[in-house]
């Protein structure tokens, strides 16, 4: 991504008429933090001058089938918070062109974030063809009829990102497989664009041009070819073809609303449900392929993401409880600095795993390993701050002297794990069979009552239970 963004910075600073939208903030933030102060100032000017836009602006372009809605909200918060803090930018457009099918929950969440249009692509091929015939490529998406106020404009791009050969005009840099400029026809392409007007809500037509990595390195060639096409359309003698501009999803929706307000009646239909399962007909076969295997593929990674999400929420509750019980401002400030750093690491790891090629299991093996590594590092960081809080709470409640407190060590056994499979527990018992074992049960859920079954290691056990400011002593004699 560095080479793409380096090239975009160069292109936009060269001409004030150029614009570009960027979507996934996790990659942008990584590039931005390595820039010099001069280049950071240049980027801020581009945002201020409305040349650089942040469409969607979530941490990643999330999957919509395998994710949990709270994790989706979290990763949007991280992205939106970052662009607002750095550029005072508020996203208004949803851009989700690569996930494999689309959930009605996604636009429901987008509407509550202040986003007013959801632009997408991958839906069932039969649905696309029917919408082209019916003129319903744009519609009002009302996910839940009981909350009609939370709605967005749904917009399906006419064609999937990639080759523009269908238009009669090919662009360089892998946008078309083979580019023969002698065969390019601006009138043909303009007529192709004009034919789409009846399929959408207004006469404004959005045409995305590009493909994976097409703006990296020699991206100048592609951008100049787009500018050449725009000039060619605007220099046509026939005014019926309209006017072309360099645009972004944000510019498109602004012009769309202006055109829509001029219409006497609306012909936008209402949609309530989702777009699952996704199906398309690959070029090498006539049979449709249904993309549903990713619902269950790579279950280990899917479990790790859910477990990390649970630990993140638990860590936040533990940290908040500890913070509220602290007395001095100095202690609070030092604790918050430590906790924020650890929580942020897991927060970002969970967020990036919402990507449509992460939680779905559609990445390559080495990429999956990197995702797992980030989750493990983040879990270790948050577990460290939880251990610190539990350690301090326990030594205070049980009245353990400071000189003995260092010997108290917390470890975590995963839920539903047999004691013999909990390695820290077996190692602790083997190293010192006479040592006492402290069991701490923390209920991080919303239910006030939860049942835990604990197997004791032998027939006689005694201990203490903190109860408010008191300690309840107990002993258990098991029947043989």
């Amino acid at each position: 991504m560095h080479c793409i963004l380096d090239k975009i910075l160069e292109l936009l600073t060269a001409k004030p008429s150029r614009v570009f939208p960027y979507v996934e903030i996790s990659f942008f933030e990584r590039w931005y933090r390595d820039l010099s102060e001069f280049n950071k100032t240049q980027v801020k000017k581009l945002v201020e001058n409305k040349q650089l836009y942040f469409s969607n602006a979530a941490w990643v372009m999330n999957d919509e089938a395998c994710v949990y809605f709270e994790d989706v909200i979290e990763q949007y918060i991280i992205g939106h918070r970052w662009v607002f803090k750095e550029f005072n930018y508020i996203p208004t457009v949803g851009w989700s062109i690569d996930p494999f099918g689309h959930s009605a929950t996604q636009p429901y969440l987008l509407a509550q974030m202040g986003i007013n249009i959801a632009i997408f692509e991958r839906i069932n091929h039969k649905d696309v063809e029917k919408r082209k015939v019916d003129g319903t490529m744009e519609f009002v998406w009302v996910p839940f009829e009981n909350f009609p106020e939370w709605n967005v404009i749904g917009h399906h791009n006419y064609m999937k990102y990639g080759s523009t050969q269908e238009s009669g005009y090919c662009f360089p840099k892998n946008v078309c497989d083979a580019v023969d400029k002698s065969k390019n026809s601006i009138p043909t392409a303009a007529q192709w664009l004009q034919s789409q007007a009846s399929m959408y809500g207004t006469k404004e037509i959005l045409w995305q041009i590009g493909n994976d990595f097409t703006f990296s390195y020699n991206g100048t060639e592609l951008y100049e070819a787009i500018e050449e096409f725009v000039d060619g359309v605007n220099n046509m003698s026939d005014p019926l073809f309209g006017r072309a501009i360099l645009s972004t999803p944000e510019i498109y929706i602004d012009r769309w609303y202006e055109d829509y307000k001029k219409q006497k009646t609306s012909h936008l239909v209402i949609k309530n449900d989702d777009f699952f399962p996704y199906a398309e007909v690959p070029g090498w076969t006539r049979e449709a392929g249904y993309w549903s295997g990713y619902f269950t593929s790579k279950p280990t990674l899917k479990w790790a993401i859910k477990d990390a999400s649970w630990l993140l929420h638990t860590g936040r509750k533990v940290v908040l409880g500890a913070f509220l019980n602290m007395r001095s401002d100095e202690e609070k400030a030092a604790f918050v600095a430590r906790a924020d750093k650890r929580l942020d690491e897991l927060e970002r790891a969970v967020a990036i795993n919402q990507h449509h090629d992460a939680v779905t299991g559609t990445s390559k093996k080495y990429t999956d390993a990197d995702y797992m590594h980030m989750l493990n590092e983040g879990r270790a960081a948050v577990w460290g701050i939880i251990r610190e809080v539990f350690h301090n709470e326990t030594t205070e409640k049980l009245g353990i002297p400071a000189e003995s407190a260092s010997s108290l060590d917390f470890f975590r056994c995963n839920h539903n794990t047999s004691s013999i499979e909990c390695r820290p527990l077996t190692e602790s018992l083997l190293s010192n069979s006479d040592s006492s074992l402290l069991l701490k049960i923390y209920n991080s859920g919303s239910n006030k009552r939860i049942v835990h079954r604990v197997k004791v290691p032998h027939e006689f056990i005694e201990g203490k239970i903190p109860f408010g400011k008191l300690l309840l002593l107990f002993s258990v004699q098991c029947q043989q």
Side-chain angles (χ1 to χ4, degrees):
M1 288 298 172
H2 276 69
C3 55
I4 295 174
L5 288 165
D6 285 344
K7 178 54 65 176
I8 294 304
L9 177 60
E10 176 190 322
L11 288 168
L12 297 187
T13 51
K15 277 188 181 181
S17 60
R18 289 172 172 170
V19 294
F20 194 86
Y22 199 83
V23 176
E24 295 182 301
I25 302 304
S26 59
F27 302 107
F28 190 92
E29 186 269 346
R30 188 179 299 182
W31 169 78
Y32 183 81
R33 70 182 179 219
D34 293 334
L35 292 179
S36 65
E37 289 303 316
F38 174 78
N39 281 337
K40 284 182 179 179
T41 303
Q42 291 290 95
V43 173
K44 288 179 179 179
K45 285 181 180 178
L46 293 175
V47 177
E48 186 179 343
N49 295 340
K50 296 187 176 180
Q51 288 182 260
L52 179 61
Y53 292 81
F54 297 105
S55 304
N56 210 51
W59 202 239
V60 295
M61 189 188 296
N62 63 274
D63 170 59
E64 299 178 28
C66 304
V67 292
Y68 184 52
F69 76 97
E70 283 192 2
D71 295 335
V72 173
I73 294 171
E74 287 284 343
Q75 69 100 15
Y76 266 96
I77 288 174
I78 300 171
H80 286 198
R81 185 172 57 197
W82 190 85
V83 295
F84 183 78
K85 180 181 177 182
E86 289 293 329
F87 309 112
N88 198 32
Y89 188 94
I90 299 175
T92 57
V93 172
W95 182 265
S96 191
I97 64 170
D98 216 17
F100 322 124
H102 300 280
S103 167
T105 302
Q106 185 81 4
Y108 178 67
L109 298 177
L110 293 180
Q112 295 178 76
M113 297 175 195
I115 287 176
N116 48 37
I117 185 171
I119 300 174
F120 58 94
E121 281 184 14
R122 292 180 183 259
I123 67 174
N124 190 293
H125 64 105
K126 292 182 180 178
D127 196 347
V128 176
E129 294 308 315
K130 187 175 187 303
R131 289 180 176 279
K132 288 180 179 179
V133 173
D134 296 344
T136 57
M137 295 287 275
E138 285 179 330
F139 51 89
V140 180
W141 205 345
V142 186
F144 294 102
E145 295 179 47
N146 292 336
F147 301 97
E149 65 275 19
W150 300 124
N151 67 81
V152 298
I153 299 299
H155 171 104
H156 185 280
N157 284 337
Y158 182 81
M159 58 184 290
K160 189 168 172 266
Y161 67 89
S163 177
T164 59
Q165 199 158 355
E166 178 187 332
S167 68
Y169 198 98
C170 271
F171 292 88
K173 284 294 293 170
N174 299 323
V175 177
C176 282
D177 296 330
V179 180
D180 184 352
K181 286 190 175 182
S182 64
K183 294 182 179 180
N184 279 348
S185 170
I186 289 179
T188 300
Q191 203 162 27
W192 174 78
L193 288 168
Q194 192 180 48
S195 69
Q196 299 172 30
S198 61
M199 305 175 193
Y200 289 90
T202 72
K203 294 179 182 179
E204 295 290 334
I205 300 300
L206 176 66
W207 188 15
Q208 57 166 351
I209 301 170
N211 206 339
D212 292 338
F213 309 111
T214 49
F215 283 97
S216 59
Y217 299 116
N218 295 324
T220 304
E221 182 185 0
L222 173 57
Y223 208 107
E224 288 178 348
I226 296 172
E227 290 176 315
E228 183 182 335
F229 174 80
V230 169
D231 291 340
V233 171
N234 294 334
N235 290 331
M236 289 175 63
S237 56
D238 190 346
L240 293 177
F241 285 121
R243 180 171 177 79
I245 63 168
L246 295 172
S247 187
T248 68
E250 290 76 10
I251 295 173
Y252 169 75
I253 192 60
D254 285 345
R255 294 174 66 93
W256 186 94
Y257 272 116
E258 289 301 314
D259 195 13
Y260 185 76
K261 287 189 292 186
K262 297 175 185 177
Q263 299 180 15
K264 294 181 180 179
T265 59
S266 170
H267 61 272
L268 293 178
V269 298
I270 293 176
K271 180 178 174 63
N272 303 116
D273 54 355
D274 56 34
F275 288 104
F276 286 122
Y278 169 53
E280 67 175 9
V281 181
W284 61 85
T285 178
R286 293 183 178 181
E287 295 183 4
Y290 283 85
W291 293 49
S292 56
Y294 75 95
F295 295 164
T296 56
S297 60
K298 297 183 181 175
T300 302
L301 179 59
K302 285 178 167 61
W303 167 84
I305 295 169
K306 297 296 187 292
D307 182 72
S309 175
W310 168 85
L311 187 62
L312 175 61
H313 288 290
T314 299
R316 286 172 174 164
K317 292 173 184 176
V318 170
V319 164
L320 177 60
F323 175 82
L324 294 175
N325 288 324
M326 290 178 180
R327 295 177 178 84
S328 69
D329 292 339
E330 293 79 8
E331 183 185 15
K332 287 180 178 180
F335 176 71
V336 167
R338 293 196 308 276
D340 271 355
K341 184 177 181 181
R342 290 172 178 266
L343 289 169
D344 185 66
E345 186 171 351
L346 184 56
E347 188 179 64
R348 292 190 173 203
V350 172
I352 204 166
N353 272 277
Q354 306 310 306
H355 191 277
H356 58 274
D357 280 323
V359 66
T360 55
T362 53
S363 292
K364 295 183 182 296
K365 189 174 181 180
Y366 61 83
T367 308
D368 289 338
D370 191 36
Y371 285 136
M372 271 292 211
H373 175 73
M374 286 188 281
L375 289 171
N376 290 336
E377 290 290 305
R379 284 189 290 189
V382 170
W383 175 236
I385 198 69
I386 292 175
R387 286 175 63 184
E388 178 187 328
V389 172
F390 284 176
H391 183 279
N392 294 339
E393 286 181 353
T394 305
T395 52
E396 183 179 347
K397 283 185 177 181
L398 296 181
I400 299 175
E403 60 271 14
S404 304
S406 59
S407 62
L408 188 65
D409 185 28
F410 277 92
F411 53 83
R412 174 191 172 202
C413 293
N414 289 327
H415 184 57
N416 286 341
T417 299
S418 171
S419 58
I420 200 170
E421 294 173 340
C422 186
R423 188 173 176 181
L425 173 61
T426 55
E427 288 179 350
S428 175
L429 294 175
L430 286 172
S431 63
N432 187 357
S433 59
D434 295 328
S435 64
S436 59
L437 184 68
L438 175 69
L439 176 66
K440 185 176 181 70
I441 298 173
Y442 177 77
N443 180 11
S444 61
S446 57
N447 295 326
K448 293 184 178 179
R449 296 183 63 184
I450 188 168
V451 177
H452 283 277
R453 297 177 62 193
V454 180
K455 292 182 179 180
V456 296
H458 46 74
E459 68 276 8
F460 181 76
I461 186 169
E462 60 183 4
K464 305 173 183 178
I465 300 178
F467 187 76
K469 294 183 178 180
L470 303 175
L471 279 178
L472 301 183
L473 306 180
F474 71 90
S475 62
V476 178
Q477 179 73 48
C478 299
Q479 297 293 330
Q480 292 293 331

